[in-house]
Amino acid sequence: MTPHERIAQLRTELHRHNHSYYVKNMPEISDFEFDRLMRELQDLEAQHPECYDSTSPTQRVGSDITSEFVQIAHKYPMLSLGNTYSFDEVRDFYERVQRTLGSEPFELCCEIKYDGLSISLTYEEGRLVRAVTRGDGVQGDDVTANVRTIQSIPLVLQGTGYPREFEIRGEILMPWEQFDRLNREREAQEEPLFANPRNAASGTLKLQNSSVVAARKLDAYLYYMLGDSLPSDGHYECLQQAAEWGFKVSPSMRKCTTLDEVFEYINHWDAERKNLPVATDGIVIKVNSLAQQRSLGYTAKVPRWAIAYKFQAEKALTRLNEVTYQVGRTGTVTPVANFEPVQLSGTIVKRATLHNADFMDNLDLHIGDMVFVEKGGEIIPKITAVDLDARTFMMGEKVRFITRCPECGTSLMRSEGEAAIFCPNDTTCPPQIKGRIEHFISRKAMNIDGLGAETVDLLYSVGLIHDAADLYNLRIPHISRLERMGYKSAENIVRSIERSREVPFERVLFAIGIRFVGETVAKKLSRAFGSMDRLENATFDELIAVDEIGEKIAQSIHRFFANEQCRALVARLKEAGLQMEVVVDESIERTDKLAGKSIVISGVFAQHSRNEYKAMIEQHGGTNVSSISSKTSFILAGRDMGPAKLEKAQKLGVLIVSEEEFLAMIE
Ligand code: IVH
């Protein structure tokens, strides 16, 4: 067998095993054997680059080449569905279909409504050529490279008889198990949590780095085939055929003819859906015959041949054990309900936020109450009501908001007209101190990696740090002596603290945590005033004269600098060598060589990083924009600019400029 033949054989075999594992859930060989075949193919492909094929099973691992997404127009618009929450409206739908079709008999196809993000896949000659998100329904993002990493999506079809070209649509999902794992990891890294698997899936698919996408293990169910020569007039039958070609099609699809059958299906899955590995939010009911679908047609927005019945948010009844209180970085105290653990939408929950004192009072909670807990598409469950019928004369104690801070004992306060109750002790209340330090080191602030909430906690508890400035006095032996800390990690932390001295002023300004001064405001202030000294001395009028700086922010800045301790902290950070003013890189002179030009950057560059190019564009008066349009002046193109982007540029006649040409332009 020639290497080329072996490559082809391995590809076919690996595609088949992938399908058995990820679609049928019936692996035929061990993971070990699978890895061995994969490695053999990888080696052969490396030796024979002429055999490169974007649909090879080896391509599922993704790549870290960053590329921006190109917008692609959908051949058929991607519409949404009409929604209903009641059986009566399902009946109306049924009767409407009946009336429109006259005396014709019709079948309905009931299927689960998956709660992810919709995707449109195009296959040509049995190969996946394009994957596009819904976008605005008319055009979406080309996310092919990311979609290729989803194991249950076939890159090459099996069997025969598929149309030469067709589209198949479905839902990309992050299974509950992956979602929980991802959020646990993000929590450990102190990154914001995804609210639900839908957001997680859509955030993942928009990542620029497809190897990260590959690691997140997305899944996909396909539910709609479109094209000129489909295998059958029946929607259900088309999808069963698609399953034969290797697509993952929901096994729960059912054909029904009567309304009772439809209701039975809905009731069954409303109860059963909690056992599914992915999020669902309803049932879709479709007229099965494609010819009948055509004669029913569309309204302006939705098909007349289908409807979505949405489930009520999943609820559970459980016993309230205790209300605890959390103190945040700004001192806000949040009440948290702790109850008997219950299973809700695939996960076990035992806590729910009670938001604030008003919310809690309105519920009139008593310890031991039976409460309704709901998880409506969001990760944080809420308590929606108390089951008053379950109360007996032995009612537990009424829950009253605490009056002293649970962390430092200070009397709590409430600002007039605000719902939040807070601990005013911002100088010695531990969660406030730790919270401020955590904010200071976070990625968008000083970006000190290696240090997380746990380490801050540890350093604080042994008395090594009391505020952000103390970080700059830490030495390796201080840290390496601590529990669970080796020399290596101590060294990393110290090095990354060292590096933070280079962080530009605008991020230092964000990091010091002036209330209401977020990332964007910090940028604006740093541009307007240029240094900490000038900001500190700015008058109220000077502050509000800056675009988007209002009275609330101006007051907060004045309050910050009026505080002795805050001023002392800033002084010590300055002494530690942090950037306290905007640094203008004198070596690059500012010109208007690119004035009025909007420039798209695309591809991978050899001489400078993408960020450096962005800075150069700005330094020469140009604007960096993210997507190509007829207004784009030119594209600064590196290696591996995506073919779709290239096509778009050519279609719009936008000039493509190489790295060298660009550098010559600004010389
Ligand atoms: S059919 C023209 N079937 O729900 C109708 N959609 O609310 C095409 N969805 O955008 C859609 N499961 O993202 C269909 N079994 C299913 C579905 C489904 C989930 C999503 C889809 C669509 C949205 C509409």
Side-chain angles (χ1 to χ4, degrees):
M1 199 184 298
T2 65
H4 285 204
E5 283 164 351
R6 180 63 182 154
I7 288 178
Q9 186 186 42
L10 282 167
R11 284 178 180 168
T12 312
E13 234 175 274
L14 284 163
H15 277 309
R16 205 187 68 240
H17 289 309
N18 246 327
H19 179 249
S20 307
Y21 189 95
Y22 289 103
V23 180
K24 295 202 289 189
N25 284 328
M26 280 192 298
E28 289 166 29
I29 55 170
S30 67
D31 290 0
F32 178 78
E33 181 63 6
F34 183 90
D35 291 343
R36 198 185 60 74
L37 295 174
M38 184 65 92
R39 217 159 307 126
E40 184 184 345
L41 177 58
Q42 277 164 343
D43 291 346
L44 279 171
E45 285 183 352
Q47 288 158 24
H48 297 275
E50 73 281 6
C51 292
Y52 171 81
D53 182 341
S54 63
T55 61
S56 167
T58 54
Q59 296 305 304
R60 295 213 192 256
V61 291
S63 105
D64 55 7
I65 292 181
T66 32
S67 61
E68 285 149 9
F69 300 116
V70 175
Q71 298 259 304
I72 293 200
H74 293 296
K75 186 165 174 191
Y76 314 92
M78 276 182 96
L79 300 175
S80 68
L81 293 167
N83 279 338
T84 157
Y85 289 87
S86 78
F87 277 24
D88 279 348
E89 284 176 19
V90 174
R91 185 185 304 278
D92 290 348
F93 165 76
Y94 186 88
E95 289 172 355
R96 226 169 23 242
V97 169
Q98 213 166 24
R99 265 199 314 278
T100 317
L101 294 179
S103 55
E104 260 180 55
F106 62 93
E107 285 179 319
L108 294 171
C109 179
C110 292
E111 46 198 79
I112 288 183
K113 187 169 185 307
Y114 291 103
D115 194 10
L117 79 149
S118 36
I119 192 78
S120 164
L121 308 175
T122 303
Y123 285 78
E124 284 172 17
E125 313 285 2
R127 284 162 185 277
L128 173 69
V129 292
R130 220 167 17 258
V132 183
T133 62
R134 187 178 123 101
D136 60 5
V138 177
Q139 54 173 13
D141 284 333
D142 180 344
V143 288
T144 316
N146 284 346
V147 165
R148 274 202 199 104
T149 69
I150 303 175
Q151 303 280 2
S152 54
I153 291 184
L155 301 179
V156 174
L157 300 185
Q158 300 174 10
T160 53
Y162 37 77
R164 207 197 67 73
E165 184 189 334
F166 69 97
E167 221 176 296
I168 189 161
R169 293 182 181 170
E171 206 79 353
I172 293 193
L173 300 150
M174 181 174 287
W176 286 112
E177 198 185 328
Q178 296 301 329
F179 171 71
D180 291 338
R181 186 182 58 102
L182 177 63
N183 263 353
R184 274 198 306 275
E185 283 169 15
R186 291 175 76 88
E187 199 168 10
Q189 305 277 330
E190 289 172 70
E191 289 180 52
L193 302 190
F194 284 115
N196 51 47
R198 180 181 2 96
N199 290 0
S202 107
T204 301
L205 211 61
K206 300 272 166 65
L207 290 172
Q208 300 278 342
N209 180 336
S210 58
S211 53
V212 180
V213 181
R216 297 237 181 124
K217 298 194 166 58
L218 296 172
D219 200 355
Y221 281 101
L222 285 311
Y223 48 63
Y224 187 26
M225 201 193 287
L226 298 108
D228 295 331
S229 42
L230 299 186
S232 159
D233 172 59
H235 158 74
Y236 178 88
E237 290 72 16
C238 282
L239 288 178
Q240 297 312 309
Q241 186 60 64
E244 304 272 309
W245 298 330
F247 290 103
K248 191 164 189 169
V249 169
S250 168
S252 51
M253 290 173 70
R254 285 281 172 284
K255 285 207 288 182
C256 300
T257 47
T258 68
L259 254 182
D260 282 344
E261 283 174 297
V262 173
F263 292 151
E264 210 176 288
Y265 183 91
I266 295 180
N267 286 332
H268 172 78
W269 284 108
D270 198 357
E272 258 321 288
R273 68 189 184 115
K274 61 172 173 293
N275 300 321
L276 294 175
V278 292
T280 58
D281 63 344
I283 296 295
V284 183
I285 306 152
K286 300 173 181 168
V287 170
N288 194 51
S289 154
L290 304 185
Q292 288 178 334
Q293 288 186 2
R294 278 191 294 275
S295 76
L296 286 157
Y298 295 82
T299 70
K301 282 198 300 237
V302 297
R304 288 203 184 86
W305 47 264
I307 194 164
Y309 171 87
K310 299 281 281 270
F311 294 130
Q312 298 288 336
E314 220 188 301
K315 260 194 208 136
L317 194 60
T318 182
R319 185 176 305 279
L320 177 72
N321 289 333
E322 189 191 4
V323 173
T324 51
Y325 297 84
Q326 273 172 2
V327 185
R329 155 167 87 89
T330 54
T332 306
V333 182
T334 310
V336 178
N338 293 248
F339 38 78
E340 287 301 314
V342 272
Q343 172 98 17
L344 206 56
S345 314
T347 46
I348 291 178
V349 293
K350 46 185 186 224
R351 269 193 296 268
T353 172
L354 291 167
H355 305 290
N356 52 46
D358 291 344
F359 184 89
M360 200 173 87
D361 287 346
N362 288 340
L363 285 170
D364 184 31
L365 285 177
H366 289 68
I367 297 299
D369 269 347
M370 293 303 288
V371 290
F372 288 101
V373 186
E374 231 178 63
K375 208 166 153 187
E378 300 304 315
I379 187 185
I380 302 172
K382 20 175 213 214
I383 292 199
T384 50
V386 174
D387 182 3
L388 295 175
D389 294 339
R391 272 192 190 158
T392 62
F393 67 95
M394 298 258 295
M395 213 156 79
E397 200 184 323
K398 182 174 163 65
V399 181
R400 285 178 211 285
F401 208 100
I402 46 170
T403 53
R404 289 187 171 276
C405 175
E407 304 281 345
C408 70
T410 305
S411 285
L412 298 179
M413 288 175 54
R414 184 174 192 161
S415 304
E416 212 174 310
E418 280 191 31
I421 290 186
F422 66 95
C423 166
N425 173 19
D426 53 6
T427 43
T428 62
C429 180
Q432 297 192 53
I433 297 173
K434 285 187 277 186
R436 279 196 301 269
I437 302 176
E438 283 163 22
H439 168 74
F440 182 84
I441 62 177
S442 64
R443 202 161 39 85
K444 290 186 172 164
M446 304 304 284
N447 191 22
I448 301 181
D449 34 65
L451 259 188
E454 262 177 52
T455 319
V456 167
D457 202 26
L458 198 60
L459 292 168
Y460 175 80
S461 65
V462 297
L464 277 168
I465 54 173
H466 305 92
D467 61 26
D470 289 339
L471 291 169
Y472 295 90
N473 297 329
L474 288 175
R475 297 291 169 265
I476 295 174
H478 293 140
I479 309 176
S480 62
R481 269 204 302 271
L482 299 176
E483 216 180 304
R484 283 177 287 123
M485 274 290 161
Y487 186 85
K488 197 97 209 109
S489 27
E491 192 181 38
N492 280 341
I493 292 174
V494 171
R495 195 173 309 140
S496 124
I497 293 174
E498 284 295 309
R499 260 202 314 268
S500 76
R501 292 194 165 96
E502 303 304 317
V503 165
F505 171 60
E506 58 185 46
R507 276 168 51 201
V508 175
L509 185 52
F510 170 58
I512 59 175
I514 305 177
R515 209 154 176 229
F516 308 125
V517 177
E519 233 188 315
T520 326
V521 171
K523 249 186 215 152
K524 294 226 154 87
L525 291 169
S526 100
R527 254 179 238 151
F529 297 98
S531 77
M532 196 68 92
D533 284 343
R534 256 170 273 147
L535 179 67
E536 184 176 342
N537 295 319
T539 64
F540 192 80
D541 288 341
E542 281 167 344
L543 286 169
I544 57 171
V546 179
D547 181 32
E548 280 179 55
I549 307 295
E551 295 186 2
K552 193 168 85 171
I553 300 176
Q555 266 158 10
S556 171
I557 295 169
H558 269 186
R559 218 175 302 128
F560 182 89
F561 287 111
N563 181 316
E564 186 85 37
Q565 264 182 324
C566 296
R567 273 208 315 273
L569 176 76
V570 171
R572 286 170 56 224
L573 291 173
K574 190 174 184 178
E575 219 165 278
L578 268 58
Q579 304 292 319
M580 291 293 167
E581 57 186 31
V582 176
V583 178
V584 186
D585 191 343
E586 301 294 345
S587 64
I588 305 169
E589 86 193 281
R590 286 177 183 274
T591 74
D592 22 288
K593 285 182 183 161
L594 300 174
K597 299 235 182 308
S598 36
I599 302 159
V600 171
I601 306 182
S602 175
V604 187
F605 297 93
Q607 308 201 28
H608 294 276
S609 74
R610 188 176 272 261
N611 278 339
E612 282 167 347
Y613 278 120
K614 262 187 202 163
M616 285 182 213
I617 290 175
E618 279 173 18
Q619 262 148 0
H620 293 281
T623 318
N624 173 224
V625 293
S626 58
S627 63
I628 307 175
S629 73
S630 55
K631 296 201 192 83
T632 309
S633 313
F634 65 82
I635 300 171
L636 166 55
R639 202 162 37 81
D640 290 324
M641 173 176 168
K645 207 168 221 176
L646 199 62
E647 198 184 309
K648 184 158 185 188
Q650 280 162 352
K651 206 156 76 193
L652 295 172
V654 176
L655 194 65
I656 294 177
V657 169
S658 72
E659 258 186 295
E660 293 73 23
E661 287 168 328
F662 176 79
L663 292 171
M665 255 183 207
I666 58 170
E667 264 285 272

